[in-house]
Amino acid sequence: MTERYTVISADCHAGADLLDYRPYLESKYHEAFDAWAATYVNPYEDLLADAADRNWNSERRVADLEADGIVAEVVFPNTIPPFFPSASLMAPAPTREEFEQRWAGLRAHNRWLADFCARAPGRRAGVAQILLNDVEEAVREIRRTREAGLSGGILLPGAPPGSGVPELYSEVYDPIWGACAELGIPVNHHGGSASPPLGEEPAARAVFMVETTWFSHRALWHLIFGGVFKRHPSLNLVLTEQGSGWIPGVLDMLDYYHGRLVAAATKASTAESKFGSGLAESMGKGPSQVWRENCFVGASFMRPHEVPLRDRIGLDKIMWGSDYPHDEGTTPFSREGLRIAYAGLPSEEVAAMVGGNAARVYGFDLPFLDRIAARIGPTVAEIAEPLKEIPPEATSPAFALGGSVRVW
């Protein structure tokens, strides 16, 4: 163990400034892009503020992350891709007429992201974007982006009720899973991307906060019960910014239903037998075993109440993230965020959760990053010291724990 931790943020966000996407679009879309951009009103205040350039200013970003003790990052999208009404994580499902332009917009983002990652060699794993409406096009884009240098895998779009695309357990997506498995890149499912539209009533935002992580969790049981990991045993699924404390309980629940339905299928006279028919053959291994072999969690700013569950979640599964540059992220207090979560733990466990696991999942060159961490990484002694005072300027939920109050 070295004197400093090699910290890789498994949850960061970036994207181009709106007009800077134009050169990355195929020329046949330039006229439509100009018309769209001329009337577009950005709905996000943080993308209009002076700090917005943290999304695309490579030099500022490296400096910010290094000041925070972070040597590398997994880069999810954040800004508005061409022809989208809002950030792609939150954009409503497109109409059939919008599909072509939306695809062009995502390809432009992916091209921009490849260039952005190349500006910090070995320190950024960019996550490519796809749509689910055209599986063949998705597979082409997966292969193209991997060849272009994006090593973060793909961002799996949500398929909320009413989305108009098949559910994630559908075998229609097998070519997507197969391509990712073949290329050795993960399928990432990010929190906030799978909720159905809730309208504009006053309660909508509160209901969204209560339900949004649950809708994101659905990808786990859809892919498990859909037999995806039996057909593609080397595929990795990463669930990011959805918390981690829920995992042991959900795995217990999934194991219960799996056992119950498989057993019921052997008793043709029961009313429940039809629910388990064919399940054992199509799934193969049970949910907990699939989790152990194929799944990971981008736990982001792990909360103190989640840390005691680390053995049940799997120490080799947990990947810390700062959520830079979001307000709910830990920047510029990531060292304090690490201390409030991990102080007092064995240093080898901390090293795995803050960087080692992410290096393995996303293919980072750990010896290369270790050399950078020797200069800017937080020290083992620093993170071992319990945090006694929360920085007053901190805005992350990582610091929202007070006394014995549990923050979900």
Side-chain angles (χ1 to χ4, degrees), residues 6 8 10 72 74 125 146 151-152 183-186 234 236-238 291-297 313-319 348-349 351-367 369:
T6 299
I8 299 171
V74 179
R146 186 65 189 95
S151 58
L183 296 171
I185 55 175
S234 65
N236 285 335
L237 172 68
V238 181
W291 175 266
R292 288 192 298 270
E293 296 181 5
N294 300 92
C295 303
F296 299 84
V297 58
I313 297 167
L315 269 167
D316 59 338
K317 302 295 179 184
I318 298 168
M319 300 181 291
E348 62 272 14
E349 294 187 7
M353 292 187 286
V354 304
N357 295 335
R360 186 175 74 257
V361 172
Y362 291 102
F364 286 105
D365 182 344
L366 203 51
L369 296 179

Side-chain angles (χ1 to χ4, degrees), residues 89-101:
L89 276 176
M90 298 296 298
T95 65
R96 185 172 299 277
E97 291 73 22
E98 292 170 322
F99 276 141
E100 181 183 347
Q101 288 188 340

